Amino acid sequence: MEYRRLGKSGLQVSALSLGSWLTFGNQIEDKVAEELMDIAYESGVNFFDNAEGYAGGKSEIVMGKILKKKNWDRSSYIVSSKIYFGAEEKKPNMIGLSRKHLFEGTNNALKRLQLDHLDLLYCHRPDQNTPIEETVWAMHQLVMQGKILYWGTSEWSASEIMQAFYFAEKNHLVPPSMEQPQYNMFWREKMEKEFLLLFRDFGLGTTIWSPLASGLLSGKYNNANPKDTRFNMESIAWLKDRLLVEANLKKVDRLKEISDKLNISLVKLALGWCLKNPNVSTVILGASKTAQLKENLTALEVVPLLDEKIMAKLDSILANKPEFIEV
Ligand code: NDP
């Protein structure tokens, strides 16, 4: 396993990590969740990603039970939660980024995960109803209380993140350390354009999500209709409608030609492509089956194969490379 600095923080995070969205407490049995965490940890993964909103809090409960049972050295792993969407109930003040929900949501996440502190806490989305100043103060205070060690954002715009940095700097508060954006071959704008100044001037770390575009970049939907997959979950039919479209499938077919030529799987090509971006601190993997995770955990091997020529070929297929801006 390779370890990367989380931005300019002192935290070392495994380049591949494991997330629990849609799987833990939902799509998979707890036994499989435990096997996945075991395989990941034994391969050197040190970061497990979670959120209050995943399976209405059940994902944290499942992960907490596994961590308790494993009894791994607490300093050997990093656990996150994210606040914004709420857990079981969504009444006013049970969602969002107010000081009240950040404090109560963090305490509830700690209880569900059976932990004394969270290593990372994210503001899961920007909250138009809470001043960024209130959120930055609350995050700073959570750090001071020892309940969280580092804080960050997820799917915030560059200007929102910059506001948080400037406010923290002006008031000598702990600034955000990381952002969790979507990043994969189909979704590049933020990582390759919008955030460039944040990487250069603020040393922002990134923990990127959906590296396989929810499994689409495995190629398993090309000329096939597999049954036991995420795209068959009714609760997220919108995701299937958005991703499983002819234009994407055509590109996947052409990407497969490249991975075949390189003699590697398309999954590894897609994950290696994310890992190659030096502004990625960690690629958060998702898996519903142990065999998937075992394959995905070998993706670092293929990064050296992705030379300039191959990257240019991939860009010509993807036809979505953000225009370069000099920073
Ligand atoms: P991916 O895009 O990698 O999708 C993972 C899914 O793809 C798996 O659950 C599995 O689904 C399928 N898959 C994985 N590996 C393979 C393989 N080798 N062969 C075939 N199919 C495969 O990542 P996620 O979308 O799961 O995101 C990863 C993590 O990022 C999440 O768990 C979560 O922690 C985080 N996240 C954060 C968000 C945020 O807003 N901050 C939003 C979304 C995710 P199946 O078997 O069902 O087809």
Side-chain angles (χ1 to χ4, degrees):
M1 182 57 68
E2 174 188 325
Y3 297 87
R4 298 182 179 182
R5 265 179 87 184
L6 183 64
K8 68 170 185 188
S9 81
L11 197 68
Q12 299 283 330
V13 64
S14 48
L16 293 165
S17 46
L18 179 65
S20 58
W21 179 53
L22 296 177
T23 49
F24 286 39
N26 189 354
Q27 193 188 1
I28 62 174
E29 300 292 326
D30 295 357
K31 192 175 145 288
V32 178
E34 181 177 338
E35 286 166 4
L36 292 173
M37 283 183 69
D38 245 333
I39 291 166
Y41 187 80
E42 291 309 322
S43 308
V45 165
N46 74 353
F47 169 36
F48 299 106
D49 186 59
N50 220 320
E52 64 171 3
Y54 292 174
K58 276 192 239 144
S59 168
E60 290 178 332
I61 293 172
V62 171
M63 191 176 277
K65 280 188 191 152
I66 297 168
L67 288 171
K68 180 139 196 153
K69 181 172 167 194
K70 294 292 156 196
N71 200 24
W72 294 320
D73 188 330
R74 180 65 184 87
S75 54
S76 68
Y77 61 85
I78 296 164
V79 179
S80 74
S81 184
K82 308 186 199 80
I83 306 282
Y84 176 81
F85 290 105
E88 308 97 309
E89 286 199 84
K90 316 272 183 192
K91 289 181 188 156
N93 302 320
M94 292 179 157
I95 57 172
L97 300 179
S98 65
R99 177 176 291 115
K100 181 170 170 63
H101 185 55
L102 285 172
F103 275 49
E104 292 170 351
T106 301
N107 285 333
N108 291 336
L110 286 170
K111 270 186 222 141
R112 286 189 293 265
L113 284 160
Q114 304 187 54
L115 296 173
D116 296 328
H117 67 271
L118 295 168
D119 302 279
L120 310 180
L121 183 67
Y122 295 88
C123 299
H124 208 160
R125 290 291 180 271
D127 179 359
Q128 306 310 333
N129 295 313
T130 304
I132 283 184
E133 293 82 350
E134 178 174 335
T135 297
V136 176
W137 261 113
M139 289 306 221
H140 172 81
Q141 284 160 340
L142 284 166
V143 174
M144 293 300 111
Q145 291 172 0
K147 295 209 166 158
I148 67 171
L149 302 183
Y150 301 87
W151 77 275
T153 56
S154 179
E155 293 301 332
W156 282 33
S157 68
S159 75
E160 288 159 337
I161 299 170
M162 255 180 225
Q163 275 182 57
F165 267 112
Y166 285 130
F167 183 75
E169 194 173 71
K170 189 169 145 204
N171 295 283
H172 305 288
L173 306 178
V174 177
S177 294
M178 69 289 175
E179 152 71 23
Q180 187 167 133
Q182 179 172 184
Y183 185 51
N184 56 53
M185 285 174 155
F186 291 132
W187 200 266
R188 307 171 61 171
E189 197 74 13
K190 281 195 169 182
M191 281 299 294
E192 296 184 27
K193 184 172 179 183
E194 190 185 333
F195 289 165
L196 292 184
L197 282 173
L198 288 165
F199 300 141
R200 191 194 70 179
D201 295 347
F202 296 91
L204 188 75
T206 61
T207 63
I208 63 111
W209 62 267
S210 280
L212 292 177
S214 276
L216 179 64
L217 284 163
S218 68
K220 67 183 171 188
Y221 296 101
N222 284 56
N223 310 313
N225 188 14
K227 286 283 169 257
D228 58 341
T229 78
R230 174 177 297 189
F231 286 159
N232 294 294
M233 294 168 77
E234 265 179 35
S235 58
I236 48 146
W238 55 271
L239 190 67
K240 179 181 173 184
D241 293 344
R242 190 187 292 171
L243 286 172
L244 209 54
V245 295
E246 195 54 34
N248 285 349
L249 288 168
K250 273 191 187 149
K251 285 183 183 178
V252 171
D253 260 337
R254 294 187 57 206
L255 293 170
K256 179 84 173 52
E257 289 168 15
I258 306 273
S259 67
D260 284 348
K261 273 195 197 132
L262 291 172
N263 210 13
I264 60 175
S265 69
L266 182 53
V267 161
K268 288 171 75 160
L269 177 69
L271 295 174
W273 180 90
C274 295
L275 285 162
K276 184 156 170 84
N277 185 331
N279 293 316
V280 169
S281 315
T282 184
V283 171
I284 311 180
L285 303 171
S288 72
K289 295 171 189 65
T290 54
Q292 292 174 347
L293 184 63
K294 283 181 189 163
E295 176 182 19
N296 301 357
L297 283 167
T298 62
L300 277 157
E301 288 166 9
V302 308
V303 179
L305 303 178
L306 306 181
D307 58 21
E308 259 178 48
K309 229 167 118 192
I310 297 289
M311 291 301 272
K313 266 191 200 158
L314 295 173
D315 279 340
S316 75
I317 293 171
L318 294 168
N320 60 1
K321 189 177 164 72
E323 224 176 276
F324 182 72
I325 46 165
E326 190 78 48
V327 293

